[in-house]
Amino acid sequence: MTGMRGLSVFISDIRNCQNKELERLRIDKELGNIRTCFKNEKVLTPYKKKKYVWKMLYIHLLGYDVDFGHMEAVSLISAPKYPEKQVGYIVTSCLLNENNDFLRLAINTVRNDIIGRNETFQCLALTLVGNIGGREFAESLAPDVQKLLISSSCRPLVRKKAALCLLRLFRKNPDVVNVDGWADRMAQLLDERDLGVLTSSTSLLVALVSNNHEAYWSCLPKCVKILERLARNQDVPQEYTYYGIPSPWLQVKTMRALQYFPTIEDPSTRRSLFEVLQRILMGTDVVKNVNKNNASHAVLFEALSLVMHLDAEKEMMSQCVALLGKFISVREPNIRYLGLENMTRMLMVTDVQDIIKKHQAQIITSLKDPDISIRRRALDLLFGMCDVTNAKDIVEELLQYLSSAEFAMREELSLKAAILAEKFAPDLSWYVDVILQLIDKAGDFVSDDIWFRVVQFVTNNQDLQPYAAAKTREYLEKPAIHETMVKVSAYILGEYGHLLAGRPGCSPREMFSIIHEKLPTVSASTIPILLSTYAKILLHTQPPDLELQNQIWAIFKKYESCIDVEIQQRAVEYFELSKKGAALADVLAEMPKFPERQSSLIKKAEDAEDTADQSAIKLRAQQQPSNALVLAAPQPVNGTPPPVKVPSMSGSVDHDSAAQSHSQPNGTLSKVEPQPPSPDLLSDLLGPLAIEAPPGSLPTDERGGSTGAGGVPDVVDGAAIVPVGEQMHTVEPIGNIAERFHALCLKDSGVMYEDPYIQIGVKAEWQGHHGRLVLFLGNKNTSPLTSVQARILPPVHLKMELSPVPETIPPRAQVQCPLEVINIRPSRDVAVLDFSYKFATHMVNVKLRLPAVLNKFLQPIQLTTEEFFPQWRSLSGPPLKLQEVLRGVRPLPLPEMVNLFNSFRVSICPGLDPNPNNLVASTTFYSESTRAMLCLVRIETDPSDRTQLRMTVASGDPTLTFELKEYIKEQLITIPTGPRATPPSPLAPAAGAVAQPSSPAVAADDPGALLAGLL
């Protein structure tokens, strides 16, 4: 590009553009100029063609479509001089893919360059073929590339590129390499002395043996010799030595190739390889230089993988474990992570577990590491190394860690502790103790499968039944226990409580009393278990206790009219059976033993297995914000919340709603598949200028503007300026439109939009599911605004009616336009105001989100304990009660979080949750479909990590529950907080009123004073 002044000027012009629109105009102008020049071939000199093709490449790299000029780029490949040929090869490989028809025109030219004598042209051609690949290139050029690779007359530079080019062709089309004729040649390539050619050839070998190792046995001893040469640093040039390590890249590739061969039969080859591996293990240590560490550890960990693959002697395995033990004790977190991960892999090797146990204390220390990735790997390692000898210590450590572990790990911790307790319990009473401690410390994270399993063990082991009954009786003494503990205790005491007869506090009346105390605190799913327990207590009360019988009968009578069919049926049947005496004994006989089968917990743990890479990908996906706008409005089906939302309050795609679990009629949860994105996703919703959608991407409205589903425009919070005649003008909004919108979502009055010509304010009143907004349109100039048009594009859940808008706004005047709103059903979709006006010769169009959002139809309400908990218990499970762990939350102190909830009309109810780190809140939602619907919220925060919390939302309508949960989630994660404005003063000027010019200071958020100080 040296000497191309026009190209340099063009690049400077692009870099000096103030905004994206100016850049687009400059690029369009340049593309038009290039297109014109390409049509006039008489004046198109090789120099100009080269310059224009470079410009096309630069425009392409900026992300703009270049849909012409491909033929000119391809034609440069056949140019006789290097500068033109270089441009042709580079631009063709960047602009065209393997399916482009123009490439067929270049195949002969590329082949001529490959088989020619000019090494520079050969390298250019090989680079093009390697970058593009494709079947046609592979079929036509692979034999010539192979000849270059094995040619002794070619320089190493060409042969390196030939090896990498052949590797690319093989990956795309494995049949281009004939195994029968190529295996011996591959072995000859491994004798190469040039390390560059050898490294490239080894990359090719790794691909070949991964596809078919049987054909390449002759390469195995050659690979061992390469390792010996590198380990002894024999004939290794200085340029291939990295921080004193001879070609670490070649060492890693060679050892990886060896891992595709199942065994090494030859004793001398095996002995030589183990000597090399021993040298690597002995010579690797942690140093201060990060680059040297990275290189040496890459070689070391590949060597460890090879040692495990070859099933080396126990002495070498012990040496490997000792080395990893050093790694997990260093301060560098990356090295600790690799040490734990590789030690976990070594558990698959026989006779190594006892050696790893020596490092158990250090592994347990890693369980408390600040880095969650290291904690996860430590947990995996502890789980894998556990056996009968150390199960007690490991499970006790997991139980202690459970109380301080973060939400993201508690469920996995609970599951693995339960599995270890079951598999390696020294006695069954210890197993019962562990599971009960688990439920007591982490009840919310203990799945039903865990307490089902302990019930199976107790039922199938008669000697265990009195002990289990006594332990559960002890836990019931606690003033506050988790509902899962109530379930397991009630079940076991119902079945085996009579075995405690004669012990203090274990009479039927005392056991009934202590169980019945928990009834008001449990949900509807637990009540059937308690009713069964009451019936069994009656059964085992001998002689009959009439007072106790009357108490239990009163409970049965109470629930005979319960709306829950399961509770109602049990209450009716138990009441009738208890009157028949012997019939009750037959029906409520002791449960038979469960058939022996594999624990469902183990399968669940396998399903929940998660690698470090998958965890990182999930975490990035949850924390990555998006400015895209999905223009679709799927309706709820059978009361199930829609999986994908249209523009929400944050103006972003709702990532999690696409994967939200929804309740099915049978009570199971299923995943809703994410919907494909809309073809016209916008790259920047908050910018001041409109972004043009691709032609034909969406239908157009009567103004020619692109619209989405339901008539919602595909550009919001931005102004589109339409040229009149030959003029093009840009209008920059004053202030951030999105920030103004978010502020109006939390208050009822303020400025919604402003530019040099007009100011649009809003003042709103809300009552129940009705709302009334007044739009204030203020002309800021001494000339009238003409052709004024405004229309509302409402979502389907709102009825909106806007009064007529005058076509002309007089100079320095303000007009008012009332807007009536009725909320039909819960939704986070946002209405859009499509507003346009003409000033002089400029037509301005702006599309703005209106603050008629979900929280406007909320009314805060304070509930007492007696009012809150019965409602909370009656809403049991999805879809009426939804729970989600949120990560990436803005770290807010609890007082600020309380203020945030109050700002969007959700009232905090103090004192309902005994945990000071939790918040309980309530509000009432109004709509035509739900009328007044009570909504309950619980927020559980983690004091050690304010960036995550667990949220539970409940209401009597599944769609409302889903929408409110997602709305609160947006507030906590997506939308930034700002200063809370005080309520503005009432409206002052009437329509068309003119204020005095001597008012420099105004309340900017008061629509009644919008023009004060300006007119």
Side-chain angles (χ1 to χ4, degrees):
M1 291 189 289
T2 305
M4 292 189 183
R5 185 174 180 277
L7 178 61
S8 301
V9 171
F10 172 63
I11 293 175
S12 298
D13 290 346
I14 294 297
R15 290 176 175 173
N16 292 331
C17 289
Q18 297 296 319
N19 52 52
K20 200 72 175 175
E21 187 64 24
L22 294 177
E23 180 181 291
R24 160 65 77 176
L25 292 174
R26 180 67 181 90
I27 285 174
D28 287 344
K29 178 181 176 181
E30 191 64 39
L31 288 175
N33 181 43
I34 295 173
R35 193 188 297 269
T36 302
C37 293
F38 280 170
K39 289 180 181 179
N40 190 358
E41 295 183 0
K42 293 181 180 180
V43 299
L44 190 63
T45 64
Y47 170 79
K48 287 186 176 180
K49 183 187 287 189
K50 179 178 65 172
K51 179 177 67 174
Y52 293 144
V53 170
W54 273 130
K55 289 182 179 181
M56 287 167 46
L57 176 61
Y58 184 71
I59 293 171
H60 171 74
L61 294 178
L62 288 176
Y64 295 92
D65 290 332
V66 180
D67 55 0
F68 70 94
H70 298 167
M71 185 62 196
E72 283 73 12
V74 173
S75 66
L76 285 174
I77 293 177
S78 57
K81 295 182 179 179
Y82 174 77
E84 286 82 10
K85 188 180 285 287
Q86 179 202 29
V87 176
Y89 274 118
I90 293 176
V91 177
T92 300
S93 63
C94 291
L95 288 183
L96 306 184
N97 60 35
E98 60 185 77
N99 300 317
N100 196 290
D101 293 334
F102 284 116
L103 286 177
R104 296 174 183 168
L105 305 176
I107 287 180
N108 286 333
T109 304
V110 174
R111 184 174 185 275
N112 290 334
D113 286 336
I114 289 177
I115 64 178
R117 295 290 184 180
N118 190 315
E119 294 176 349
T120 305
F121 291 176
Q122 285 178 323
C123 291
L124 287 175
L126 290 170
T127 302
L128 173 72
V129 176
N131 282 338
I132 293 180
R135 176 162 291 277
E136 290 194 41
F137 270 19
E139 293 174 350
S140 305
L141 304 176
D144 297 314
V145 176
Q146 292 177 12
K147 289 178 183 178
L148 280 183
L149 177 57
I150 62 177
S151 172
S152 58
S153 60
C154 288
R155 289 179 59 194
L157 175 66
V158 178
R159 297 178 66 198
K160 283 193 295 185
K161 289 188 177 292
L164 296 177
C165 179
L166 187 60
L167 171 61
R168 162 74 168 175
L169 295 179
F170 175 77
R171 285 173 175 169
K172 295 288 290 185
N173 306 282
D175 54 343
V176 302
V177 176
N178 185 358
V179 174
D180 296 334
W182 186 252
D184 293 337
R185 294 177 178 177
M186 193 69 239
Q188 293 173 11
L189 285 173
L190 297 181
D191 291 328
E192 179 65 42
R193 303 308 298 173
D194 185 276
L195 286 188
V197 177
L198 190 57
T199 303
S200 302
S201 301
T202 308
S203 298
L204 177 61
L205 175 65
V206 172
L208 294 172
V209 296
S210 66
N211 192 51
N212 177 17
H213 72 273
E214 294 289 342
Y216 297 94
W217 277 105
S218 59
C219 297
L220 192 149
K222 302 289 182 71
C223 290
V224 176
K225 288 183 179 179
I226 292 173
L227 284 176
E228 283 186 291
R229 172 186 171 188
L230 295 174
R232 293 170 182 165
N233 205 356
Q234 295 177 342
D235 194 20
V236 179
Q238 184 63 33
E239 60 267 24
Y240 285 96
T241 302
Y242 184 78
Y243 285 90
I245 303 169
S247 189
W249 312 277
L250 181 55
Q251 292 189 54
V252 169
K253 291 176 187 293
T254 307
M255 288 188 283
R256 187 161 297 171
L258 289 172
Q259 292 175 56
Y260 286 103
F261 296 98
T263 56
I264 299 179
E265 303 293 344
D266 183 55
S268 62
T269 303
R270 185 179 176 89
R271 184 172 58 255
S272 300
L273 178 58
F274 279 126
E275 287 177 0
V276 173
L277 295 176
Q278 183 78 23
R279 188 188 295 264
I280 293 173
L281 296 177
M282 294 291 292
T284 305
D285 204 351
V286 180
V287 296
K288 290 184 178 181
N289 190 297
V290 176
N291 293 324
K292 180 175 175 62
N293 274 338
N294 291 338
S296 61
H297 293 156
V299 176
L300 172 66
F301 289 123
E302 202 64 48
L304 290 173
S305 298
L306 185 55
V307 168
M308 288 185 278
H309 173 74
L310 297 175
D311 197 10
E313 291 78 5
K314 188 172 182 179
E315 183 179 350
M316 182 172 282
M317 288 295 184
S318 301
Q319 188 177 349
C320 293
V321 174
L323 188 60
L324 293 174
K326 290 181 181 179
F327 280 15
I328 65 175
S329 61
V330 301
R331 300 183 63 179
E332 172 59 38
N334 291 330
I335 297 177
R336 287 205 307 277
Y337 179 92
L338 292 171
L340 290 167
E341 185 180 44
N342 280 273
M343 198 174 279
T344 305
R345 292 175 58 198
M346 293 203 73
L347 289 171
M348 297 182 293
V349 181
T350 55
D351 300 329
V352 176
Q353 191 164 353
D354 290 338
I355 308 172
I356 295 178
K357 286 180 187 176
K358 298 177 182 178
H359 305 279
Q360 180 173 315
Q362 187 61 47
I363 298 169
I364 290 174
T365 303
S366 299
L367 197 61
K368 303 175 178 65
D369 194 276
D371 191 323
I372 187 173
S373 300
I374 294 177
R375 295 199 298 271
R376 286 187 181 278
R377 298 290 76 79
L379 177 60
D380 292 341
L381 180 53
L382 286 172
F383 182 73
M385 65 185 283
C386 186
D387 59 16
V388 178
T389 61
N390 60 359
K392 273 193 172 183
D393 295 335
I394 290 179
V395 171
E396 286 176 7
E397 288 291 340
L398 295 182
L399 289 175
Q400 287 182 12
Y401 177 56
L402 194 58
S403 57
S404 59
E406 57 186 3
F407 294 143
M409 287 186 63
R410 288 186 186 179
E411 186 171 357
E412 184 182 0
L413 267 171
S414 303
L415 181 62
K416 290 189 172 180
I419 293 173
L420 294 179
E422 177 181 334
K423 288 176 66 176
F424 305 113
D427 57 76
L428 292 179
S429 60
W430 178 81
Y431 167 73
V432 171
D433 288 341
V434 169
I435 299 301
L436 293 181
Q437 286 184 59
L438 202 60
I439 295 172
D440 186 46
K441 292 185 176 183
D444 286 340
F445 302 90
V446 175
S447 65
D448 285 344
D449 294 320
I450 293 177
W451 82 266
F452 291 168
R453 190 65 176 163
V454 76
V455 165
Q456 292 175 21
F457 267 92
V458 174
T459 303
N460 290 2
N461 294 273
Q462 188 173 357
D463 296 340
L464 188 61
Q465 291 165 3
Y467 181 81
K471 292 300 292 184
T472 53
R473 172 68 179 79
E474 290 178 14
Y475 276 100
L476 285 176
E477 294 282 357
K478 292 188 174 184
I481 59 174
H482 193 270
E483 188 169 342
T484 304
M485 182 66 77
V486 177
K487 291 179 183 178
V488 67
S489 299
Y491 184 92
I492 291 177
L493 287 176
E495 291 289 330
Y496 312 112
H498 62 281
L499 301 177
L500 303 179
R503 298 188 186 185
C506 295
S507 67
R509 182 179 296 186
E510 289 172 317
M511 281 197 292
F512 164 77
S513 176
I514 198 169
I515 294 173
H516 188 55
E517 285 178 3
K518 311 301 179 186
L519 181 63
T521 65
V522 299
S523 63
S525 62
T526 306
I527 294 176
I529 300 175
L530 298 185
L531 295 181
S532 300
T533 300
Y534 298 160
K536 294 223 171 190
I537 289 175
L538 271 184
L539 172 67
H540 295 298
T541 303
Q542 299 297 333
D545 185 334
L546 295 180
E547 184 180 348
L548 176 60
Q549 178 178 279
N550 291 334
Q551 285 181 293
I552 295 176
W553 280 3
I555 297 170
F556 291 158
K557 292 291 289 182
K558 173 184 175 182
Y559 285 105
E560 281 183 349
S561 57
C562 180
I563 193 172
D564 188 292
V565 176
E566 174 75 12
I567 297 174
Q568 183 187 101
Q569 183 175 356
R570 289 193 185 221
V572 171
E573 292 180 358
Y574 289 156
F575 181 67
E576 294 300 325
L577 286 170
S578 62
K579 296 179 181 178
K580 301 183 181 297
L584 182 64
D586 294 337
V587 174
L588 298 182
E590 188 173 302
M591 289 293 291
K593 291 186 177 182
F594 291 90
E596 292 295 334
R597 56 178 179 267
Q598 184 184 10
S599 171
S600 61
L601 298 180
I602 297 177
K603 183 178 184 305
K604 186 173 181 179
E606 292 171 353
D607 295 340
E609 238 1 90
D610 196 6
T611 65
D613 291 340
Q614 291 169 335
S615 299
I617 290 170
K618 288 180 181 179
L619 191 61
R620 284 195 297 271
Q622 288 163 354
Q623 294 180 344
Q624 181 177 2
S626 171
N627 285 332
L629 176 66
V630 177
L631 296 172
Q635 301 302 313
V637 180
N638 297 330
T640 303
V644 179
K645 299 306 301 174
V646 302
S648 63
M649 284 195 51
S650 63
S652 63
V653 170
D654 189 345
H655 296 283
D656 292 333
S657 60
Q660 175 71 26
S661 297
H662 297 299
S663 178
Q664 303 300 313
N666 61 2
T668 59
L669 295 179
S670 67
K671 289 286 185 185
V672 178
E673 292 297 328
Q675 301 296 322
S678 176
D680 61 326
L681 297 181
L682 305 180
S683 62
D684 187 3
L685 292 179
L686 306 183
L689 301 175
I691 301 174
E692 296 180 5
S697 62
L698 286 173
T700 57
D701 61 11
E702 63 267 29
R703 288 196 182 90
S706 178
T707 61
V712 180
D714 62 348
V715 177
V716 294
D717 288 357
I721 292 77
V722 183
V724 178
E726 296 298 323
Q727 297 187 10
M728 173 68 77
H729 186 62
T730 299
V731 173
E732 293 283 351
I734 299 173
N736 189 304
I737 304 175
E739 289 180 2
R740 293 183 186 274
F741 169 74
H742 294 317
L744 287 170
C745 290
L746 302 180
K747 58 183 181 179
D748 292 333
S749 178
V751 177
M752 187 165 63
Y753 172 81
E754 185 176 4
D755 63 30
Y757 308 126
I758 196 170
Q759 189 180 54
I760 302 176
V762 65
K763 187 175 180 68
E765 295 177 353
W766 308 94
Q767 186 172 3
H769 63 282
H770 292 273
R772 186 175 189 272
L773 292 85
V774 179
L775 301 179
F776 295 84
L777 312 177
N779 184 354
K780 299 167 57 177
N781 295 272
T782 55
S783 301
L785 301 179
T786 59
S787 302
V788 177
Q789 296 186 40
R791 64 174 183 144
I792 303 297
L793 305 177
V796 292
H797 76 283
L798 294 178
K799 291 180 184 177
M800 308 185 80
E801 184 177 351
L802 179 66
S803 63
V805 177
E807 291 190 3
T808 301
I809 301 178
R812 296 184 178 274
Q814 182 187 71
V815 298
Q816 299 181 14
C817 304
L819 172 63
E820 300 294 334
V821 181
I822 298 177
N823 185 28
I824 302 173
R825 64 171 179 269
S827 175
R828 287 174 299 123
D829 302 351
V830 181
V832 174
L833 170 66
D834 185 359
F835 183 79
S836 62
Y837 66 91
K838 183 178 179 183
F839 179 80
T841 60
H842 310 303
M843 191 71 184
V844 181
N845 175 241
V846 60
K847 296 178 176 67
L848 303 166
R849 289 175 289 173
L850 288 169
V853 291
L854 180 77
N855 68 299
K856 299 297 186 182
F857 305 103
L858 297 177
Q859 185 64 41
I861 182 174
Q862 285 276 352
L863 298 180
T864 63
T865 304
E866 293 75 16
E867 295 168 334
F868 182 89
F869 283 106
Q871 297 285 346
W872 183 261
R873 288 192 297 270
S874 66
L875 303 170
S876 57
L880 299 182
K881 182 184 289 185
L882 298 177
Q883 189 174 88
E884 183 175 354
V885 174
L886 304 185
R887 299 175 183 85
V889 176
R890 289 177 288 111
L892 296 175
L894 280 182
E896 290 188 24
M897 191 174 291
V898 170
N899 293 336
L900 177 63
F901 273 81
N902 289 333
S903 68
F904 52 79
R905 307 188 184 196
V906 177
S907 178
I908 300 297
C909 303
L912 295 189
D913 196 314
N915 189 336
N917 296 307
N918 297 346
L919 297 178
V920 175
S922 58
T923 188
T924 306
F925 177 79
Y926 292 90
S927 70
E928 274 193 351
S929 62
T930 63
R931 295 299 172 184
M933 180 68 69
L934 182 64
C935 307
L936 308 176
V937 182
R938 186 186 184 206
I939 303 292
E940 300 167 81
T941 67
D942 187 351
S944 62
D945 186 358
R946 288 292 182 186
T947 62
Q948 68 171 357
L949 54 82
R950 189 168 69 162
M951 173 175 63
T952 309
V953 179
S955 77
D957 180 77
T959 305
L960 173 58
T961 302
F962 175 80
E963 295 290 342
L964 183 60
K965 178 181 76 71
E966 293 300 314
Y967 172 81
I968 297 175
K969 179 178 174 181
E970 289 174 352
Q971 297 290 329
L972 293 173
I973 295 179
T974 311
I975 303 174
T977 55
R980 306 294 175 209
T982 55
S985 57
L987 297 177
V994 178
Q996 297 300 322
S998 59
S999 306
V1002 296
D1005 290 334
D1006 189 348
L1010 294 180
L1011 304 181
L1014 297 175
L1015 306 183

